[in-house]
Structure formats: C-alpha cells, structure tokens
Amino acid sequence: MLGLPLAFTVPAVLSALVLLPALYYLLRVTPPRPRQIPFPPLKLILDLKPREEKPARTPPWLLLLRLAVASVIILAMAGPVWNPPPATLAGKGPLLLVIDDGFAAAPDWTTRIAAATERLAEAGRRGTTAAVVPVSDGVRQILPTTAARALDRLRSLKPVPYLPDRTAALPAIAAAVAAYPDAGLVWIADGLDNGRGRAFAEGLEALKTATPPTVLVGATTPVALAGADNKPDALAVRLIRADAHAAAKGALKAYDLKGLPIGGAAFDFGTATATEARFALPVELRNSIASVAVDGDASAGAVTLLDGRWKRRRVEIVSGETADVSQPLLSPGFFLQKALAPYADVHEVRSGTPDPIVAGLDEKPSVLILADVGQITGPAHERLVRFLDEGGVLLRFAGSRLAGGTGDDLEPVTLRRGGRTFGGALSWDKPKPLAPFDRASPFYGLSVPTDVTITRQVLAEPDAGLAGRTWAQLDDGTPLVTAEKRGKGKIVLFHVTADTTWSNLPLSGLFVEMLRRVVALGGETAAATSAEAGGKAEADATALAPNRILDGFGTLGSPPVTAKPIPPGFSGTGSSDHPPGFYGPADALVAVNALAPDATLIPADFAGLRIDRQMLKAAQPIDLRAALLLLAFAGFLIDTLATLWLGGGLVAGRGRRAATAALLAFGLLTLAAAPHRAWAAGDPPVSKRDMDSAVTTRLAYVGSGDPTVDETSLLGLKTLSRALANRTSLDPGEPVEVDPGRDELAFYPLIYWPVVATAPQPPPEAVARLAAFMKNGGTIIFDTRDALSSRSGGPPTAEGLWLQTLLAGVDVPELEPVPRDHVITKTFYLIDGFVGRYANGQTWVQALPPAPPEQVNRPARSGDSVSPIVITSNDLAAGWATDPAGDPLYPLVPGGNRQRELSIRGGINLVMYTLTGNYKADQVHVRDLLERLAH
C-alpha cells in the first residue's frame, strides 16, 4: 500500500478514529448531583467519616487508557499487515537472476521462486529490465526484458531432475555482462558444489561486475538417495546429504510400478553425511519394488528407481565335475557361489542327487547354471525346454565333458569338439586376452582387465549368424561368450570353465560383473537387453526409448520431447538427454537414476571469493491483528483492575472474585486470539459474512497461500462482478475468499479455485466438505493455469498432478471438453470456448448424454443438472483482473482487446450457467415443450 511497510486490508475501518474525541467527552461525562432532602434520623449517619472516597470524575489517565484501547481495536479491525522492506538490488543496470534449477533446488522451490519474485518486483519498481537465467539453459542467449515478462518466465520454470553443469551457462552470462557492464547479478544457489559450483562461482567473480555478485544460499541442503542393494536379508538403500544441517531423521517409502506402497523404513543420519535404510521384507516383495522415495521430500534426488537388475533372483547350480567332493574350494560351484552371492539367492544341487537338473528346476529358479554338463536328454531336456519357454535363463560353462560330448540342441552355437589350447608344450600360441565388448553386448561398458587370459576354450563352428550371437570374444576374434534367444528365455554359454583350469577369468572382478548382468536377464520376457545382431545399425535398433520419466519434484510422468533413448547396457546417471526414469518396453524396463550408487553431495564453498553471500529466505507479510487484539485485551484487564481499585473493590480483601474473573477472561480471550491452522476440521460456525452471502449472491475463491495468486483471484472476480452488474440483471456482492475446511460453502453458487502446485493438500475433512458441496448443486472452477507448459499427450504438469491428488477423494463425474452445442456456451453470449490469460488451454465440464435423434440438430444441448466441476488451464482470473481504474493487470497470450472481451464474456456465461442451469436450453426448445403440453 503506497510502498509503506504498514498496510491495511480494510482501510475504511480507520475512519472510525475520528469518533475518538466524541468518545472522550462521553467517557468524562459525570451524572448530575442527586437532590438532597433533610431526614433527621440520617444525621448521625452523615456525621460519620466515610472510609472510602470516590472521585467525582474519571481520572485523565484512565480516560487515555480507554481511548488507547479503542484505538487499538479500530486498528486491529482494519487488518494491519507489516510488509518487510523490499529486497535491495546491487547495480544500476538490468537484473540478471541466475537460478539453480537442478533437483537439489526442488524441496524449497517455493522459497526460491518467492525470493526471485521479490527481486523482480524491486526491479519493476526501479524501472530496470531483468532476465531469468536457469543454469539448465546452458549456452542459450540472455536477453533482458521487462520485469513483468521476466516474472512470467520465472513462474513457468520447473526444476529439472538432474544436476546441470553450471559452467555451461558462463559464456552466456559473460556475454550479457559485457553488453550491460552495470548489471546486477544475483545467483540463487542450491548450496551444493555438485555441478561445479566452486568453478561457477569463480567464473562469476571473474566477470568483474560493477558490484560483487550476490549469492543466495539456503540454510540446509537436501537429502538424496544413492542407489540400492538387494541383499540376502533386506533391500538396503543408501542416503546421503551434504552437511550436518539437513534433516537427521526420516522415513523411506517403497512403491511398486503402479505407485502402491509396499513398505517403509526409517533412517537416522546422526552426525554422518551418509547412512543406510533397510527394507526387511520377503524377497518376493522386495523384487516387486519399483521405486523408493524419501517420505515428504519432493525431489528427483530423493527417489531411486529399481528395475530388473536390482531384483534378487534364485539361481540353481548343477555341476558335472567329479572332483567337487574331493576339492570343494577349487570346484566351479565354489567360484560361482562366491561371485553371485551378493546379487542372488544361490543354491547348488547336492552331489549324488539322482536327477540334478530336474531337482534344480523343482526349486523354480530364474537362472539355472550347468557347469561342465555334457549332453542333456530325457525328462531333464523336456523340463529345460519348458523352463526356457517360460522366460528362464540357462547359463552353461564349458569343460572336458562339454568339449568331448556329442552335443545337444541346448547350446547357442554349434561347437567343435575337443576344444582349443593355448600356451602348452605342443602349441605355438600364447594365452589370449579378451577383446573390448561391442556396443550390442550386454557386457558393454565393463572394463576388460589386461591380466585376464584364456588358456583353453571350446570353439564355435563359423556360420552366418555367429557374430550376432557373440557377447564376448578374444582378441583374435574367437567367441568367448555366446547366447541365443529360445522361447521367452535365453541360453548363454561361456566357452571356458567356471573354475581356474582353463582361464583366470573366475579370479577377476570382471567375472562377477558378467555373471551379474547375465543373472539380471532371469525372468525377463523381452529382448531389449539382448544383442541379436551385431554392428552399429543393430545396436541403434536396440536403443531403449523413454517410458516414464521423473520430473524435478520426483513424480513419474510421460517423457518430455527432449528425452532421447539410451543405448543397451547404459549405466550412467540422468542428464538433459537421458533424464531419470524408466526406459524400454513395459515388460523389460531399465531404470536411470539421478545419482550414481557411489555418489556424494558436496557442500558449496565460496570462501575467499568476492561474492556477497546472503541467506535464502522469502519475506512474508506479518499479520498484526492478533498482537493488537492481545494488546487491547491487556488494556481491558488493566481498566477492570483500575475500576475495582478506584471503587474500593480491592481494599481489605474485597473484590478478589472480580479480579480473578477478569484474569480468567483475559486468558480465554488470549487463547481466542491465538492463530488457528488454515484448514480447520469440523462444522464451521456461520459468520456474519456467511449470513450476508445467504441473502446476497456473490462469487468466491479458494485461497492458495500464494499472495500473488490470491490477489489475482480477488481482483479478477471483482472485475467479473462489475461486468455482471453492468451487463446483466444480477448485482453480485463483493467476492470473498473461502476456506473449504473452515467456511460454509453452501452460500456460494460458484467457487473459483486456482491450483498452486506447491500448496499443501487440504485434509480429508476439507475434501469431504468439497465433495458434499459439489453433490448439493455447487460448481467449482479448477484453474491449473498451466496452458503454456502443458502439452496434449505429454506428461502431466505439477499443477495437474496436484489436482489429480485432490480429486482422488471426490466423486468426479465423467468429463469432456466443452462441446460447441453445450448450453454453457449460450447462456448469455454465444461463444466458442473459455479463454483467460491464455487461449490455447482446454476446458472440461461434465460429459453430456448423447442427444436423442430428434434433437441432433438443436442449437443447444444440456444435461439434467449443472456441471459440478469445470476444469480449465487458461488462467481465467488473470484474464479478468483489472485495477480500480479499469486497466488490465496482466498481458494476455496471444493478446489483444478481443481476447480480453471474450474472457469476460466467458466468465459471464459461467456465472449465468451456474445460476440458471438449463434455462437457456429449455428456452431454445420452448416450441417443442409447448407442443408436448398441448397434447
């Protein structure tokens, strides 16, 4: 209000202060002296000296006290609000507002936007231009514009689900500073050095701006998840934080692919920067977990996604070696168990079992390993064929039995019998190392140790399809690992033994990782991770398209158009090209997370830099009503005690009950003046405002908690009310703000609800009252205001997800886009749609039943009742809103007076539709109605 720190929401009440002089004279009036009539018996009484003397007039100090109490009450009723001083801006030129928009900024995103809004507002008051620069934009050119347009750009920003490299934006910032040397530079940082924060700060310092750059840093840094490990007894999730100021305790929630909760686990950092939370669940439940998130933390970094690679599969080992009993620590089963134990539940069929393959399959494994098992026939062969058809993985290792056998059809390639030996007395060849893995191989991305050599192998017969079935090979091109898809499963063959007799591969970490990737295929029914063909073209063909992608707030949704497919074997973290989420077909999803399993969060360090570091906080207006009312109650208490004292009520122990009653009243009034929560439960009392609304039709809006949005809603409804009074017979009252959890909604036929994604969800009691209001004939307009950021067929916006969560507990009817023949488009004006600040958004109402054949060509069609819900994204209130002079407050997109007029007309139609229902449709059909009445 006029830029002063003290403002009043109802300044007209201050006019009551002019009545204080009259109140002063009223309080000091003394009643006339009583008439005295002599009565002789009273002479003795009159001669007695009175013990108490009362003043003839009210003392001046008591008069001043009462006037002060009255003044304080008037000030409280005027709604005083103390506005913090505006943010100060360094530099006389344009404001360059650099914002960290990685997932680390998501938990306090509202505070960051509020702090940025304050500085843009100050730039607007100064008349300087401004530019909003999210670091994820990289090298995009920076063009300062008006503060209002910069504010629109700011409101459209959302955090990205990864940590962008800040230094990529330095060239664009340097170019902007070179063009505007007197520019003021403000960086709203996330407090992390991840993303090269120190290097970015040094780059800002090197720009040599006229004033040091200002850096706003929050008091705490977020908690993030860095991978999970499905251990034998529990799913262990690693949590990290940057410093000891973050939340020390909390809880994790595990969800399946449908988003249903599976379990929870508590965590406690203590004084450490890393900790672990464990989900001690049965392995079947752990294998169905698709995501783990920090409860109550809206950030992509607080979510870790799990795909088939994290499932703990059952592996059965069948060995054909006769030396297993005599040398168990050198047997193939020993090496396989040690390599797979961290990632799977491994069991070896006991030696001497009559039919070990059938016994192993009876345990229903995901992977069956045959170590040097020769020809397979009979019932074991039939069971293995069925096992492969159902999606199992058969992993075979070579040995003397396989090399000398006659072979069977459960081998991925045709083998040469006898094998090949390197480095022996009768061989000229030396032991062969491994060649790097091809892009089409599931092992792609694994590093090949130089000390791993092969001394013997079984050879594959060269044929046309051998290259496509080769997953690993020696440096001379001979296959080391081959595979073939069989039914829904796979057959994988290592052309060496599982022990150290033919190679030292089982002694290397590469052996563990290769087995881990093979076991991860167990139970998969798609070939997304297989390499059925070689070469770059085939590798590109097996790239995994994005399926469901995380946004910056950690919500899974449809992938953005900028997301690119990942190559097979991708093991990196999220980026702008490959944002975190699920990739590939629905039955073989591959998870990409925001952080690597060994990631750490590093706090930002700006020590020694020429930077003005400030605390990130959003200045909030302070409501002074409660304090003033408390002060008035204290004045009443003092006045009561003073009156008792002047009247002698406190002398000789008298008046104690009165004093006690005064103190009790003061305590009760103090409790009454205490602030209440925004969403109160229970049946609210009917206030005077509600009583006025019962006899005067008025529009209402739901407060969002965002002062800018609420002010826009109020001004927009005021403008619409004036238009209704000028153009229709309706003369509505002043619009009011309502709280579904506290106010009675039945008095308001139409309620406008602007959706703010960062606002807390109302409690179940408020949602129940909302549902009752809609069922009893009320209409609510939900405005998501996201027409510019939403796309048809694209992922839902944060506002859309917020609204979906709210309406999950409401019986919402079937909706449809407003058809051209709907009565809502003809209640007062003939319009085609409902536009506001934006014109490209869709408006949804309750779906109408199909028109009867005889009414197909009627100009208007209606249902049995008024639609209880209208959903739009065009920001209607901003399209209506004007200042008291009638000037528009917001620019329209695409703009023009015609759009503003259509916006008002659409609002009038909405109000008339709510009040008159199907009257217009009945009026259109009046001829048919009269004909029916005549019969």
Side-chain angles (χ1 to χ4, degrees):
M1 185 177 181
L2 300 179
L4 297 177
L6 182 63
F8 295 91
T9 58
V10 192
V13 177
L14 296 176
S15 59
L17 293 173
V18 300
L19 301 177
L20 291 179
L23 180 62
Y24 171 77
Y25 284 104
L26 217 101
L27 292 174
R28 66 190 299 270
V29 167
T30 302
R33 187 173 182 178
R35 181 181 177 186
Q36 295 183 356
I37 300 177
F39 185 58
L42 295 178
K43 179 62 176 175
L44 297 176
I45 298 176
L46 294 177
D47 289 340
L48 296 176
K49 184 179 180 180
R51 296 183 180 180
E52 303 170 5
E53 295 183 359
K54 298 181 180 180
R57 290 183 178 272
T58 304
W61 59 269
L62 188 55
L63 281 176
L64 295 177
L65 173 63
R66 292 174 177 176
L67 291 176
V69 170
S71 302
V72 170
I73 293 176
I74 294 173
L75 291 175
M77 294 301 102
V81 176
W82 182 267
N83 296 309
T88 57
L89 298 180
K92 300 180 180 179
L95 169 64
L96 301 182
L97 199 58
V98 182
I99 301 178
D100 279 350
D101 58 342
F103 66 76
D108 55 352
W109 186 254
T110 303
T111 303
R112 296 174 182 277
I113 296 300
T117 301
E118 292 176 10
R119 281 151 180 82
L120 288 177
E122 180 62 16
R125 285 189 287 267
R126 293 196 328 184
T128 58
T129 57
V132 176
V133 187
V135 296
S136 62
D137 278 358
V139 297
R140 183 179 298 179
Q141 184 181 6
I142 300 172
L143 297 175
T145 182
T146 63
R149 292 188 178 181
L151 184 59
D152 290 339
R153 164 73 168 151
L154 176 69
R155 290 173 176 169
S156 66
L157 290 183
K158 305 292 181 187
V160 295
Y162 54 91
L163 291 177
D165 183 1
R166 301 180 178 94
T167 57
L170 277 177
I173 298 174
V177 171
Y180 305 96
D182 57 346
L185 189 58
V186 178
W187 174 26
I188 302 180
D190 58 17
L192 297 180
D193 194 57
N194 302 67
R196 305 185 65 185
R198 175 76 182 190
F200 184 71
E202 292 174 348
L204 295 182
E205 181 189 32
L207 296 179
K208 303 299 182 183
T209 53
T211 57
T214 301
V215 180
L216 305 180
V217 183
T220 60
T221 53
V223 172
L225 302 184
D229 187 5
N230 205 346
K231 296 182 178 180
D233 57 339
L235 175 68
V237 182
R238 181 170 175 261
L239 296 98
I240 56 176
R241 60 177 179 172
D243 53 52
H245 298 292
K249 296 182 180 180
L252 299 184
K253 290 288 185 67
Y255 304 90
D256 62 10
L257 275 175
K258 296 181 180 180
L260 300 177
I262 295 178
F267 66 88
D268 186 357
F269 279 99
T271 58
T273 57
T275 188
E276 186 180 87
R278 300 171 65 86
F279 291 87
L281 301 172
V283 66
E284 293 78 11
L285 286 179
R286 283 186 274 139
N287 286 344
S288 63
I289 294 176
S291 64
V292 179
V294 179
D295 191 23
D297 198 346
S299 168
V303 177
T304 187
L305 304 177
L306 307 178
D307 56 23
R309 294 171 293 178
W310 277 267
K311 291 182 179 180
R312 193 166 186 89
R313 294 172 173 82
R314 184 171 183 83
V315 177
E316 289 290 326
I317 301 175
V318 176
S319 176
E321 290 285 343
T322 57
D324 289 350
V325 177
S326 59
Q327 296 181 347
L329 298 183
L330 299 178
S331 67
F334 176 79
F335 286 97
L336 291 172
Q337 287 193 28
K338 289 298 182 181
L340 291 173
Y343 314 113
D345 293 332
V346 187
H347 176 258
E348 185 175 4
V349 179
R350 181 176 299 178
S351 178
T353 302
D355 197 339
I357 294 179
V358 174
L361 293 176
D362 288 341
E363 299 297 327
K364 301 189 181 301
S366 299
V367 179
L368 178 66
I369 300 179
L370 303 182
D372 192 19
V373 175
Q375 188 176 11
I376 305 172
T377 58
H381 182 276
E382 296 177 1
R383 290 285 303 273
L384 276 176
V385 171
R386 192 181 316 129
F387 171 70
L388 291 170
D389 289 339
E390 294 173 354
V393 173
L394 174 60
L395 175 58
R396 304 189 69 172
F397 282 87
S400 58
R401 288 171 177 78
L402 185 66
T406 59
D408 53 45
D409 61 348
L410 295 179
E411 297 170 353
V413 293
T414 303
L415 299 178
R416 289 184 181 180
R417 301 305 160 184
R420 176 190 183 193
T421 303
F422 306 100
L426 301 178
S427 175
W428 293 94
D429 293 331
K430 296 180 179 180
K432 298 292 185 182
L434 275 65
F437 300 114
D438 294 335
R439 291 181 60 89
S441 170
F443 306 139
Y444 178 74
L446 298 178
S447 59
V448 179
T450 58
D451 57 347
V452 173
T453 57
I454 307 300
T455 58
R456 187 177 177 184
Q457 68 174 140
V458 291
L459 292 175
E461 291 286 355
D463 55 35
L466 180 60
R469 295 192 294 270
T470 301
W471 283 6
Q473 59 187 1
L474 303 182
D475 63 351
D476 62 357
T478 56
L480 178 67
V481 180
T482 55
E484 181 185 29
K485 184 180 179 182
R486 191 71 61 87
K488 293 182 180 180
K490 289 181 178 64
I491 301 176
V492 182
L493 172 62
F494 276 69
H495 290 236
V496 294
T497 58
D499 56 17
T500 58
T501 56
W502 286 19
S503 71
N504 61 354
L505 177 64
L507 298 177
S508 68
L510 176 63
F511 186 68
V512 177
E513 293 300 325
M514 293 174 71
L515 289 181
R516 182 180 183 182
R517 294 198 178 187
V518 173
V519 171
L521 301 176
E524 300 293 343
T525 59
T529 57
S530 67
E532 298 293 337
K536 183 178 185 305
E538 289 81 357
D540 292 342
T542 58
L544 305 178
N547 187 295
R548 299 176 67 193
I549 297 299
L550 286 174
D551 63 11
F553 295 108
T555 303
L556 279 171
S558 301
V561 295
T562 56
K564 299 179 181 179
I566 60 174
F570 181 83
S571 58
T573 56
S575 63
S576 57
D577 291 336
H578 310 302
F582 287 114
Y583 290 76
D587 53 1
L589 295 174
V590 175
V592 175
N593 285 303
L595 293 171
D598 58 348
T600 58
L601 295 182
I602 305 172
D605 180 16
F606 305 127
L609 299 179
R610 191 180 67 97
I611 286 180
D612 180 16
R613 179 170 178 172
Q614 299 179 10
M615 186 61 65
L616 173 65
K617 58 182 179 179
Q620 297 293 338
I622 302 174
D623 191 347
L624 301 179
R625 287 178 297 179
L628 291 178
L629 288 176
L630 188 61
L631 183 61
F633 296 150
F636 274 126
L637 176 62
I638 296 174
D639 180 85
T640 302
L641 296 176
T643 302
L644 291 173
W645 175 65
L646 293 174
L650 298 181
V651 177
R654 291 181 296 174
R656 292 179 180 175
R657 292 184 180 180
T660 303
L663 290 174
L664 181 60
F666 174 72
L668 294 175
L669 292 175
T670 302
L671 292 176
H676 299 280
R677 58 179 179 173
W679 300 94
D683 295 331
V686 179
S687 63
K688 183 180 184 303
R689 185 194 69 179
D690 293 338
M691 296 176 63
D692 294 339
S693 299
V695 296
T696 303
T697 301
R698 68 181 69 212
L699 307 178
Y701 68 94
V702 175
S704 64
D706 187 322
T708 302
V709 175
D710 293 344
E711 182 183 11
T712 302
S713 301
L714 177 61
L715 295 177
L717 293 182
K718 281 186 176 181
T719 303
L720 181 60
S721 298
R722 288 196 297 268
L724 287 166
N726 294 333
R727 305 186 189 188
T728 71
S729 59
L730 175 65
D731 188 8
E734 284 290 310
V736 295
E737 176 183 350
V738 296
D739 183 339
R742 184 178 60 197
D743 298 324
E744 177 58 57
L745 305 180
F747 303 113
Y748 310 98
L750 181 66
I751 297 177
Y752 176 77
W753 192 322
V755 176
V756 176
T758 55
Q761 286 285 341
E765 296 83 357
V767 176
R769 294 173 54 79
L770 175 68
F773 170 76
M774 296 170 61
K775 284 184 175 295
N776 293 331
T779 298
I780 299 182
I781 302 176
F782 291 101
D783 194 341
T784 57
R785 307 175 300 115
D786 58 356
L788 292 184
S789 57
S790 63
R791 298 186 307 276
S792 178
T797 62
E799 291 78 9
L801 292 174
W802 192 97
L803 182 58
Q804 289 179 18
T805 304
L806 171 67
L807 297 181
V810 180
D811 186 12
V812 178
E814 181 184 358
L815 303 178
E816 67 175 349
V818 177
R820 295 177 63 87
D821 60 346
H822 197 290
V823 68
I824 199 173
T825 63
K826 300 172 175 62
T827 51
F828 196 82
Y829 289 103
L830 300 179
I831 58 177
D832 295 328
F834 297 89
V835 301
R837 188 176 186 184
Y838 314 117
N840 62 315
Q842 188 70 266
T843 302
W844 298 76
V845 296
Q846 181 178 356
L848 296 179
E854 66 274 7
Q855 297 184 9
V856 170
N857 297 321
R858 294 297 183 185
R861 182 163 57 101
S862 63
D864 295 332
S865 61
V866 175
S867 175
I869 183 173
V870 178
I871 300 178
T872 184
S873 60
N874 281 331
D875 199 355
L876 301 183
W880 302 329
T882 60
D883 60 14
D887 296 327
L889 292 181
Y890 295 95
L892 306 186
V893 179
N897 293 331
R898 176 65 177 171
Q899 180 176 342
R900 197 172 303 278
E901 173 62 21
L902 290 177
S903 175
I904 293 294
R905 292 185 179 185
I908 293 177
N909 270 32
L910 286 170
V911 176
M912 300 306 291
Y913 168 71
T914 304
L915 296 177
T916 63
N918 298 323
Y919 161 74
K920 181 63 67 173
D922 295 340
Q923 189 180 34
V924 170
H925 303 150
V926 64
R927 180 179 301 176
D928 294 340
L929 295 175
L930 292 177
E931 290 178 357
R932 292 182 181 181
L933 291 175
H935 296 290

